[in-house]
Amino acid sequence: MEAFSVCQEVSTEIVFFDLETTVPNRSGQRFFVLEFGAIVVCPRKLVELESYSTLIRPKDLSVVPVRSGRCDGITREAVANAPEFEQVADKIFSILNGRVWAGHNIQRFDCVRIKEVFAEIGRPAPVSVGIIDSLGVLTEKFGRRAGNMKMATLASYFGLGQQKHRSLDDVRLNLEVLKRCATVLFLEASLPSISNGSWHSPPTITTRSRSNTGKLTYREETSKKSPPTSPGHQRTVPYTRGSLGKHGNFLSVLVTNKEHELIMKQMTERVKNLLCKAQGSQPLNNLLKHSHSVLR
């Protein structure tokens, strides 16, 4: 309820929608709408405010195949007892009219079908206040790194499973794909040097050790040497968790072999000095067996 009031104050809501239709098997054959599904989301928080889906029975049931060629596709039996479009037209109109329309390839397909079915029953079609076609947006902004940019391909690229070709499932899949693409683009814009395979800022190594009092102390060492651009002399060394916040578990920096050896040598010397001070005259070789407790 709070998200709904925030959306009303901020801007027009966005409705993601999708149509499932028959697939024409010859030239000139029309599409028949078999299912409508939509979710209304708040543009500020992208939270789902409302959802609706319904199967739709064509006047001529014979246009629907007995068996669907798609996984989880719609069959003649599935729509046999569904309402005709005229019976659900009011609800569909109320969901679409006066909102921003969003979907995958909706400009060339879904928007055209909506106009057709409303014209067929002699009623004016709903009007959008804007259209977000994720096919065009992602092709322009995200590029074709995911292949042909079909929804099934994008879902596979991001590991989201198979496209089900059911309206409400596909709508939610579309929104999730957009979120994933936006996150990738945000990270690339925020950290361009990492996305380009290089890192120009000096890496910070955070170490922790125990003082003479037994308390943990933290120290950051910053290397003054910049890594070379030649890829032949680079190796990947992960950041410590604290140096990149919540992204520290998957972001890494490129450091030269020589620099890495220098860092490790410095850390080894510090450990030796700390162990000697902490343990006094005990043999160093015995103490080094327990160094894992200092560097854990």
Side-chain angles (χ1 to χ4, degrees), residues 139-180:
T139 300
E140 178 186 352
K141 301 295 185 181
F142 195 68
R144 293 189 176 272
R145 67 182 85 180
N148 60 17
M149 303 305 286
K150 291 183 178 180
M151 186 52 58
T153 308
L154 288 162
S156 177
Y157 179 83
F158 286 109
L160 298 173
Q162 290 186 336
Q163 182 182 8
K164 294 184 177 180
H165 292 288
R166 296 302 300 267
S167 293
L168 203 56
D169 290 324
D170 286 1
V171 163
R172 291 194 171 112
L173 180 64
N174 188 3
L175 181 57
E176 187 60 34
V177 163
L178 277 173
K179 289 178 181 179
R180 299 292 180 95

Side-chain angles (χ1 to χ4, degrees), residues 18-194:
D18 178 68
L19 300 176
E20 292 299 321
T21 68
T22 57
V23 180
N25 53 24
R26 63 178 182 272
S27 178
Q29 191 176 20
R30 60 165 292 186
F31 293 90
F32 292 89
V33 177
L34 302 178
E35 188 177 38
F36 172 87
I39 59 172
V40 179
V41 301
C42 170
R44 169 172 283 186
K45 297 185 177 182
L46 291 183
V47 293
E48 186 174 319
L49 305 175
E50 180 184 357
S51 66
Y52 173 75
S53 68
T54 180
L55 288 167
I56 297 171
R57 182 189 189 279
K59 292 185 180 298
D60 182 4
L61 197 58
S62 66
V63 300
V64 187
V66 177
R67 293 182 180 179
S68 174
R70 292 173 170 175
C71 176
D72 296 329
I74 299 170
T75 63
R76 185 179 300 176
E77 182 182 3
V79 299
N81 297 316
E84 293 185 359
F85 182 77
E86 193 168 7
Q87 296 174 274
V88 294
D90 286 339
K91 180 64 175 179
I92 293 175
F93 185 93
S94 68
I95 287 178
L96 295 177
N97 194 52
R99 285 182 168 133
V100 176
W101 295 2
H104 205 66
N105 196 32
I106 61 171
Q107 283 187 302
R108 295 180 60 184
F109 188 79
D110 302 78
C111 294
V112 177
R113 304 287 87 80
I114 286 293
K115 290 180 180 178
E116 288 177 351
V117 290
F118 273 93
E120 192 176 78
I121 63 172
R123 292 185 51 175
V127 178
S128 70
V129 295
I131 295 178
I132 302 171
D133 193 322
S134 57
L135 176 60
V137 171
L138 294 183
T139 300
E140 178 186 352
K141 301 295 185 181
F142 195 68
R144 293 189 176 272
R145 67 182 85 180
N148 60 17
M149 303 305 286
K150 291 183 178 180
M151 186 52 58
T153 308
L154 288 162
S156 177
Y157 179 83
F158 286 109
L160 298 173
Q162 290 186 336
Q163 182 182 8
K164 294 184 177 180
H165 292 288
R166 296 302 300 267
S167 293
L168 203 56
D169 290 324
D170 286 1
V171 163
R172 291 194 171 112
L173 180 64
N174 188 3
L175 181 57
E176 187 60 34
V177 163
L178 277 173
K179 289 178 181 179
R180 299 292 180 95
C181 289
T183 301
V184 171
L185 292 173
F186 170 77
L187 290 174
E188 289 178 349
S190 302
L191 303 168
S193 54
I194 285 184

Side-chain angles (χ1 to χ4, degrees), residues 1-11 42 44-45:
M1 195 68 181
E2 180 184 350
F4 181 76
S5 60
V6 167
C7 284
Q8 285 187 321
E9 294 173 2
V10 175
S11 61
C42 170
R44 169 172 283 186
K45 297 185 177 182

